Amino acid sequence: MDSYTLLSGEIVDLRSLSPEGRRFLSRLKATARKKGEEDYFDLLRAVKGPGAFPLRGGPITPEVAVSPLYRVAHDIVDRVGIEQGYLLPPGAAVDMPRTGEWISMTQAAELIGVSRTAVHQALLEKRLEGLRVGNAWTIERRRAIAYKERREAKIPAEVGV
């Protein structure tokens, strides 16, 4: 493999890669092709986690980030993330209404006064309306407030507190 085409369409020259780098990319590609056998997050750790070969034992520096090895490895993993539904493909349109103020699940949990897990469960059960973008949820602030008010109306205040 002398070159690789990234999701962006850019062609990366791989002729300067070391034999170890070539073997790493070859193993990563083979693992990524095994549909359903390898988790996106496990592959991501292999590219940018502690001890990841492309990082050579150090942090992600600007030099590492632009290196052909890191860019191609990350692209291979991104393709798995897209396939498994964790990432949106490049250029994917997100049909997100432009009205209202949108907040994260964590912000909604704080506003409502419940755990993040409780907000997630309410979203899954459709008791709270939100918008899923990739693997993240976003909630309109007004909907979180309305949900809080509905919860408080159902939970009687404790007497004598």
Side-chain angles (χ1 to χ4, degrees), residues 104-116:
S104 69
M105 256 189 3
T106 302
Q107 292 168 319
E110 290 171 2
L111 188 147
I112 297 166
V114 297
S115 70
R116 205 171 166 278

Side-chain angles (χ1 to χ4, degrees), residues 43-131:
L43 290 172
L44 192 59
R45 277 189 286 280
V47 172
K48 57 197 281 185
F53 179 77
L55 303 183
R56 309 272 188 208
I60 301 172
T61 63
E63 294 78 26
V64 167
V66 298
S67 72
L69 175 66
Y70 180 81
R71 292 177 68 215
V72 170
H74 208 292
D75 189 86
I76 292 168
V77 173
D78 282 352
R79 289 171 191 268
V80 172
I82 291 167
E83 188 176 292
Q84 293 181 2
Y86 292 110
L87 303 174
L88 292 173
V94 177
D95 187 20
M96 188 167 177
R98 301 281 185 228
T99 60
E101 179 186 356
W102 292 82
I103 58 176
S104 69
M105 256 189 3
T106 302
Q107 292 168 319
E110 290 171 2
L111 188 147
I112 297 166
V114 297
S115 70
R116 205 171 166 278
T117 304
V119 169
H120 188 248
Q121 193 64 39
L123 288 163
L124 293 176
E125 293 174 1
K126 302 198 184 313
R127 291 180 284 122
L128 175 61
E129 192 176 331
L131 179 66

